Amino acid sequence: MRVVSLVPSLTEAVAATAPGMLAGVTDWCTHPAGLDRRGAVRIGGTKNPDVAAITALRPDLVIANEEENRAPDLDALRAAGLDVLITEVRTLPQALGELDRLLAGALGLPRPRWLDEAERAWAALPRPAAPLRAVVPVWRRPWMVLGRDTFAGDLLARLGVENVYADHTERYPRVDPADPAAAGCDLVVLPDEPYAFTREDGPEAFPGRPAALVSGRHLTWYGPSLAEAPRVLAAELAAAR
């Protein structure tokens, strides 16, 4: 099969399982390295894919995500006669199920070992102690944080971190760091993507609060990185306490 992936996480999942299937990937698909050398054509961004370029590749399947990709682009791909599989990933169980639906179901591949390893790694986590209340920025200028119903928020909850904005009406609300909920948190969790927070860029907005700088790929990607994410994220969170 020839596959075009519009989702970096799913690109990595397919590449780790059957790399020869990838005919096209987005400009943001960075893992694994060497996708271009393996013949995958860059077809634009997740929010602005080149529909004509994708159609010209004549893929058997385009894989997308309801959050990362725009409905008008997916509609245009369908109108061009292409099959589009849209995933929805807002919790860890949903991510594991969607990966199995894509790889074993739609692509007809054997269930990959890394998916079993990911499932076991998260199932082996001990029950968290009293959770730390945290604010989790994902952007600044303007400041945006994790709100309700997010995959990253679910992972953090399993690691003993309670998102203070988990009950917000929006999934990625704009907030002021001086907001009482943010200012009163126990911890600030700063991933290095989509915004590249660093020790010098981010913590200063939350004075007096420990800041955990964490791997955005391990916090927000659903693919092979899930197998090592519990260990990586737990170590990064512990380093801030």
Side-chain angles (χ1 to χ4, degrees):
M1 292 182 68
R2 289 170 57 79
V3 174
V4 169
S5 172
L6 304 183
V7 186
S9 296
L10 300 180
T11 295
E12 185 178 21
V14 174
T17 310
M21 283 189 172
L22 286 169
V25 298
T26 76
D27 298 339
W28 298 105
C29 294
T30 56
H31 288 77
L35 287 168
D36 304 87
R37 294 194 304 273
R38 300 179 191 183
V41 175
R42 299 289 175 174
I43 48 75
T46 58
K47 305 296 186 188
N48 58 342
D50 186 333
V51 172
I54 296 170
T55 304
L57 291 173
R58 301 178 65 185
D60 299 294
L61 184 68
V62 178
I63 52 179
N65 176 263
E66 52 88 28
E67 177 178 76
E68 294 197 49
N69 308 119
R70 301 185 316 128
D73 296 320
L74 304 183
D75 290 342
L77 290 168
R78 288 198 184 95
L82 301 180
D83 288 334
V84 181
L85 183 149
I86 303 175
T87 58
E88 180 181 295
V89 176
R90 301 191 182 188
T91 66
L92 175 65
Q94 198 174 25
L96 297 171
E98 289 287 66
L99 287 165
D100 186 75
R101 179 170 77 99
L102 167 64
L103 299 171
L107 300 183
L109 300 169
R111 181 178 167 94
R113 179 180 299 176
W114 60 260
L115 187 52
D116 291 330
E117 292 172 351
E119 194 163 8
R120 287 194 296 268
W122 284 97
L125 278 178
R127 182 182 297 275
L132 291 176
R133 300 179 71 254
V135 59
V136 191
V138 293
W139 201 257
R140 73 180 300 177
R141 305 183 192 95
W143 283 97
M144 299 177 69
V145 300
L146 292 186
R148 64 168 181 85
D149 196 23
T150 66
F151 173 68
D154 186 58
L155 294 194
L156 288 171
R158 295 168 189 274
L159 293 163
V161 176
E162 177 185 307
N163 175 16
V164 298
Y165 290 104
D167 294 327
H168 198 281
T169 57
E170 299 179 21
R171 297 185 67 214
Y172 300 98
R174 296 186 181 189
V175 303
D176 186 327
D179 178 76
C185 67
D186 303 311
L187 180 70
V188 180
V189 179
L190 296 167
D192 60 11
E193 63 173 85
Y195 186 91
F197 288 107
T198 67
R199 187 62 62 187
E200 292 74 35
D201 183 2
E204 79 287 348
F206 303 88
R209 295 291 177 267
L213 297 173
V214 303
S215 164
R217 175 168 165 261
H218 290 95
L219 181 62
T220 64
W221 286 41
Y222 34 90
S225 59
L226 278 174
E228 60 184 16
R231 173 180 55 81
V232 171
L233 293 172
E236 291 170 335
L237 292 168
R241 301 184 186 185

